[in-house]
Every structure is written in structure tokens, then in C-alpha cells.
């Protein structure tokens, strides 16, 4: 269930921090925002297991840079784009918030 409308990061804010996006973009759910200027985004995808001719669900956590003044909370559904290496683990940047996922105890 989505609760809010889309918010975009301005190109000026990305240019101010000397970040240009390139490569892949994807959507995911923000799992953690404990670190400064960073969000941990969980991405779910399916892969085919050729041996059993079935699909399996997988997920991965990606550390993404958050531009100053752009509010991102746990549970937000965000779009993340690939960019240059910012630190040891960060090579993605949050480009827009699509909505907010209603967090319940079950998934």
C-alpha cells in the first residue's frame, strides 16, 4: 500500500555534490537510515533455477547516498541510480521517493 506522492531530488543538488548518475536504476525499500547521508535499500528480485525449472526470490541490500536536505525514512519506496564510487560501500544515490510502504509485522 502506497501512502504518499513522488518526491524527486533536484539535479542542482546532485551537481552541488558532484554526483552524476549512470548505468542501472532500480526500486527498493529503505531498511535503515541510521548513518549520516546514507540509506540501506533492500531490493527484491527473482532468478531462474535451471535445474528445477522454477524461480526463486532473492534480495540484496545496497548502501545508497542521500543528498543533503532530502528526507528519506525507513519504509519508503525509493528509486536508486548507479553513480561513481562515493565511499568503500556506496556507489549508488537515491534519486526519488516513490511512496511509503505500510510496515506490518508480517511479510
Amino acid at each position: 500500500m502506497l501512502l504518499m506522492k513522488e518526491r524527486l531530488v533536484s539535479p542542482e543538488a546532485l551537481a552541488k555534490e558532484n554526483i552524476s548518475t549512470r548505468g542501472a536504476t532500480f526500486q527498493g525499500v529503505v531498511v535503515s537510515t541510521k548513518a549520516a547521508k546514507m540509506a540501506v535499500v533492500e531490493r527484491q528480485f527473482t532468478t531462474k533455477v535451471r535445474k528445477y525449472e522454477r524461480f526463486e526470490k532473492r534480495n540484496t541490500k545496497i548502501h545508497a547516498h542521500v543528498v543533503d536536505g532530502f528526507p528519506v525514512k525507513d519504509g519508503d519506496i525509493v528509486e536508486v541510480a548507479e553513480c561513481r564510487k562515493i565511499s568503500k560501500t556506496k556507489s549508488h544515490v537515491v534519486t526519488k521517493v516513490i511512496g511509503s510502504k505500510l510496515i506490518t509485522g508480517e511479510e
Side-chain angles (χ1 to χ4, degrees):
M1 180 176 190
L2 298 177
L3 298 176
M4 52 195 272
K5 58 183 176 178
E6 231 174 59
R7 292 186 315 235
L8 294 169
V9 174
S10 67
E12 293 84 20
L14 289 173
K16 183 180 176 184
E17 295 197 18
N18 195 20
I19 297 173
S20 62
T21 60
R22 58 174 183 245
T25 61
F26 59 88
Q27 295 178 359
V29 179
V30 176
V31 180
S32 173
T33 56
K34 292 178 184 174
K37 295 186 178 184
M38 190 179 85
V40 179
V41 179
E42 185 174 56
R43 173 184 173 218
Q44 293 185 342
F45 56 96
T46 58
T47 57
K48 186 172 184 177
V49 182
R50 291 179 60 199
K51 180 178 179 180
Y52 299 112
E53 298 178 359
R54 287 175 173 77
F55 291 91
E56 68 178 354
K57 292 181 185 176
R58 290 191 174 196
N59 57 16
T60 184
K61 290 183 181 178
I62 294 173
H63 297 175
H65 180 71
V66 178
V67 179
D68 283 338
F70 192 68
V72 176
K73 304 184 306 276
D74 292 355
D76 283 351
I77 299 172
V78 296
E79 183 176 282
V80 177
E82 194 175 352
C83 66
R84 67 175 173 83
K85 197 82 163 158
I86 297 170
S87 69
K88 181 179 176 183
T89 59
K90 287 196 297 187
S91 60
H92 294 82
V93 64
V94 175
T95 55
K96 70 176 153 179
V97 175
I98 297 169
S100 180
K101 185 176 180 180
L102 187 63
I103 298 176
T104 59
E106 61 196 47
E107 275 197 71

